[in-house]
Amino acid sequence: MESRSGLPTQERIEVAHQGARGWIGPADRMPEAEVALRLAEYLSERPGFGGHVAVAIDGASVRVAGVEVFDIVSYLARAGWTRAAAGVAGKNVWAADYQRGNATLRVHSRSGRGDVETTVSGRRIIAECKKGPLIKKPGSPEYPLLTAAIGQALLFDAADADLLIAAVPDTPSFQRIAEAWRARPRLRASGIEIALVSRSGSVLGLSV
């Protein structure tokens, strides 16, 4: 199958992966917006993807004290996403629909939604995403970050069949916590899956 660019869809996605891997973000941390967009991209490439994925981004997470900590537009361009002519209503320039191959990505800032929402093989997926350090930090901030992600995912207005995800950066610290917590009976009973999102494009810990 070919994309609008003329390249076969899978080939275009691989080119996009190379661009995304070459994108340089903050060396010491992965912002929440980056975690959400990388998870959305991963889900858009799963077999059975429903064709549309929505990402909710809080403007405060990309601009702190007037300083931009994550350039959404540049990241998406490097990753091969083309902005649609008609944007999403809002004051943020990055709020828009984007296209890559047969996938549509909507970036918005509406509250009350999951950070990432889509369907794969007919199953609704809702994710809560959190930022995280990529280097060792004093005080182990990974524990409260992952705790908050799981707690918020637990409160989603979701059906029993929906897949709920708590997503954080893929680092050794988050890996150790995720491995231990996945075995906890109450977390297993909730059905919430912990996703570890990497700048390499991989996502670990999901059943899709």
Side-chain angles (χ1 to χ4, degrees), residues 45-57:
E45 297 160 14
R46 295 307 90 201
F49 170 62
H52 178 81
V53 57
V55 177
I57 292 179

Side-chain angles (χ1 to χ4, degrees), residues 36-202:
L37 288 170
R38 287 188 181 277
L39 175 61
E41 290 185 279
Y42 175 84
L43 293 172
S44 76
E45 297 160 14
R46 295 307 90 201
F49 170 62
H52 178 81
V53 57
V55 177
I57 292 179
D58 181 358
S61 71
V62 295
R63 184 172 290 275
V64 178
V67 178
E68 187 173 62
V69 297
F70 182 71
D71 186 345
I72 294 174
V73 175
S74 294
Y75 171 81
L76 290 174
R78 286 291 300 268
W81 294 93
T82 302
R83 183 183 178 119
V88 178
K91 64 180 180 180
N92 299 305
V93 297
W94 40 260
D97 287 338
Y98 299 84
Q99 190 82 25
R100 188 173 76 183
N102 298 312
T104 299
L105 167 68
R106 168 162 288 192
V107 182
H108 65 88
S109 56
R110 294 189 298 275
S111 60
R113 308 289 184 90
D115 291 330
V116 179
E117 294 190 6
T118 190
T119 59
V120 174
S121 299
R123 188 182 188 187
R124 184 185 181 207
I125 297 176
I126 316 172
E128 177 66 29
C129 302
K130 293 298 180 187
K131 65 182 180 180
L134 299 179
I135 60 175
K136 188 69 175 176
K137 293 278 189 177
S140 299
E142 293 86 355
Y143 283 93
L145 286 166
L146 186 51
T147 297
I150 293 171
Q152 289 175 263
L154 188 64
L155 295 174
F156 283 141
D157 184 11
D160 289 343
D162 295 342
L163 174 58
L164 306 182
I165 296 171
V168 291
D170 184 3
T171 68
S173 293
F174 275 125
Q175 288 170 12
R176 286 192 295 271
I177 300 169
E179 184 177 359
W181 289 8
R182 286 180 182 128
R184 303 286 174 86
R186 292 298 178 90
L187 182 61
R188 294 174 61 184
S190 74
I192 296 172
E193 297 186 0
I194 299 174
L196 299 173
V197 180
S198 170
R199 280 188 172 158
S200 71
S202 69

